[in-house]
Amino acid sequence: MALAFEPLTIRSITFKNRIVVSPMCEYSSIDGFANDWHLVHLGSRAVGGAGLVFTEATAVSPEGRITPDDLGIWKDEHIEFLNRIATFIAAQGSIPGIQLAHAGRKASHTSPWKGNRPLKSEENAWTTLAPASISFKETDPLPKAMTVADIEQLKKDFRNAALRALQAGFKVIEIHAAHGYLLNEFLSPLSNKRNDEYGGSFENRVKLLLEVVDVVRSVLTDALPLFVRISAVEWVKDGWSIEDSVALAKLLKDKGVDLIDCSSGGNSSNQKIPAAPLYQVPFAEKIKQGADILTGAVGLITTPQQAEDILQKGQADLIILARQMLRDPYFTLHAAKELDADVQWPVQYERAKEKKHSNA
Ligand SMILES: Cc1cc2nc3c(=O)[nH]c(=O)nc-3n(C[C@H](O)[C@H](O)[C@H](O)COP(=O)(O)O)c2cc1C
């Protein structure tokens, strides 16, 4: 059997295969609420056979949203519809996962199809939070440098979000510490210019992420998997490096993180990304080997054979797909066919599994 279709168990959770739907912002919420769009979007990919389906970046507080249209989990009222989604995903034999996020200085923007720019004050712009008052782009409004009280509130927000995620029925939590959002901003020496115990040395810059991991891990107990998405490199000279990532992954492993989801970039407007098929896979491999921790490979993986090869070469343990899953929600079922793995189709769709020539 293809390795992509071998089950993988992490703690008490068994994934039926190693294909994962990557978190993807849908910018389709009002006041943070999930709705029919999210149910159908995530539900179809669970019907399509993925072993793990992640929600998009789900904001732990209103000001932690990239846009006013982001999904959120900052109040108990959000739980009910999220539970409907998690229950549907689980009913397809897939594992429902949620990505918890705070957008930091990249918050208070419009959605991509509404201009992808900072909100204006008449559009209810809000003050963004960051480790230091340095904006992502020179033209962006300056963020507020977080006080220690803000940091304490952030940890409470992550804790409460994790509690709600469990109530909603999610079985995996991923902490978003990549792509230049708040936790990534603390990690990077380019965006974190603090002088207190949360800035300066590597140990100080990783402190907030480790503390957030502690509060989320304690909510999950030992039973459920915890993933962290990082930007393994920053693609800028003197920025966060792969060596930093390996060192961080070791610390995260000691804190009970099970898997590092290895993305890159997003924290500097000066980044130069040599994007090409599989370009981030070497990061998953280096972190897996260097920190002896499970990793997920993501980024320009588009074919079943690429997925299988990455797993066979031991470069990563999960294959995480975003845009290919938008092109083909049934990617996983199609991949099984291509890799000659006999997987269960939804019973409702069984008659389409093999091409037969009868109408009956
Ligand atoms: C529409 C869209 C929305 C995205 N939203 C998120 C997100 O909410 N959280 C996140 O960590 N990455 C997000 N990403 C990045 C993807 O998860 C993924 O890392 C990236 O697209 C590279 O994978 P791909 O080449 O398979 O698309 C998004 C990507 C797309 C295309």
Side-chain angles (χ1 to χ4, degrees):
M1 175 100 122
L3 197 44
F5 289 91
E6 293 285 347
L8 176 71
T9 300
I10 305 179
R11 296 182 186 256
S12 68
I13 299 299
T14 298
F15 305 98
K16 66 181 170 183
N17 58 52
R18 292 154 193 236
I19 309 286
V20 180
V21 178
S22 200
M24 278 181 279
C25 286
E26 299 299 298
Y27 308 107
S28 300
S29 296
I30 296 172
D31 193 24
F33 282 91
N35 56 44
D36 289 351
W37 175 265
H38 304 89
L39 176 64
V40 174
H41 163 65
L42 298 167
S44 338
R45 281 141 191 94
V47 170
L52 166 60
V53 176
F54 271 115
T55 68
E56 67 201 80
T58 308
V60 299
S61 61
E63 74 278 1
R65 288 176 292 176
I66 307 168
T67 80
D69 311 319
D70 286 20
L71 189 63
I73 190 161
W74 65 81
K75 51 185 173 185
D76 289 345
E77 291 77 9
H78 288 145
I79 296 170
E80 187 179 353
F81 207 100
L82 288 171
N83 176 246
R84 191 167 160 198
I85 295 172
T87 304
F88 183 84
I89 292 171
Q92 311 316 310
S94 181
I95 303 295
I98 187 166
Q99 188 186 52
L100 298 182
H102 189 296
R105 65 181 180 175
K106 289 174 111 178
S108 189
H109 269 64
T110 64
S111 297
W113 51 86
K114 296 178 186 169
N116 208 9
R117 54 164 175 79
L119 288 171
K120 297 175 185 157
S121 53
E122 62 270 26
E123 295 170 314
N124 299 322
W126 62 90
T127 303
T128 61
L129 296 176
S133 189
I134 307 168
S135 54
F136 176 69
K137 281 191 214 141
E138 274 177 19
T139 48
D140 287 353
L142 284 179
K144 175 191 172 206
M146 287 173 81
T147 62
V148 171
D150 293 330
I151 288 176
E152 290 308 312
Q153 184 59 48
L154 180 84
K155 287 190 268 175
K156 280 190 197 134
D157 291 340
F158 265 95
R159 182 185 150 75
N160 290 333
L163 284 166
R164 292 189 191 103
L166 291 192
Q167 275 180 273
F170 291 100
K171 301 295 180 202
V172 179
I173 289 183
E174 174 167 280
I175 296 171
H176 196 351
H179 302 165
Y181 298 115
L182 186 62
L183 294 170
N184 190 180
E185 290 159 22
F186 269 83
L187 296 177
S188 165
L190 303 180
S191 44
N192 185 344
K193 302 283 186 195
R194 296 177 73 89
N195 300 315
D196 65 356
E197 77 263 40
Y198 290 99
S201 64
F202 171 87
E203 287 68 28
N204 286 2
R205 283 181 279 116
V206 302
K207 184 173 157 64
L208 177 59
L209 175 57
L210 297 180
E211 289 179 355
V212 168
V213 162
D214 270 343
V215 298
V216 175
R217 180 80 266 170
S218 70
V219 167
L220 286 179
T221 69
D222 283 342
L224 296 178
L226 176 59
F227 295 5
V228 174
R229 174 168 274 196
I230 62 169
S231 282
V233 299
E234 209 163 352
W235 299 117
V236 181
K237 194 171 168 293
D238 300 328
W240 181 266
S241 67
I242 183 65
E243 290 75 27
D244 290 329
S245 289
V246 171
L248 172 64
K250 288 181 187 164
L251 298 172
L252 292 172
K253 185 182 175 189
D254 289 346
K255 292 276 180 193
V257 169
D258 299 294
L259 182 139
I260 309 294
D261 175 351
C262 303
S263 190
S264 74
N267 193 46
S268 168
S269 52
N270 297 320
Q271 66 184 13
K272 298 267 177 301
I273 302 187
L278 312 181
Y279 74 111
Q280 292 178 153
V281 176
F283 303 137
E285 183 176 21
K286 286 208 174 97
I287 292 170
K288 184 172 164 61
Q289 285 170 357
D292 191 23
I293 188 168
L294 299 177
T295 58
V298 66
L300 287 174
I301 303 168
T302 51
T303 72
Q305 197 56 54
Q306 287 172 340
E308 181 64 13
D309 290 347
I310 293 166
L311 295 168
Q312 290 288 352
K313 286 189 213 155
Q315 293 175 296
D317 303 278
L318 288 178
I319 304 298
I320 306 172
L321 299 107
R323 285 163 290 183
Q324 192 57 28
M325 282 288 179
L326 297 185
R327 293 179 196 110
D328 179 9
Y330 302 110
F331 174 87
T332 315
L333 297 178
H334 294 149
K337 177 110 182 126
E338 193 174 319
L339 298 173
D340 221 7
D342 186 20
V343 301
Q344 168 91 51
W345 277 41
V347 285
Q348 297 90 336
Y349 291 4
E350 276 268 308
R351 286 173 65 186
K353 188 173 175 184
E354 303 301 336
K355 280 190 185 144
K356 291 194 184 132
H357 296 293
S358 115
N359 290 324

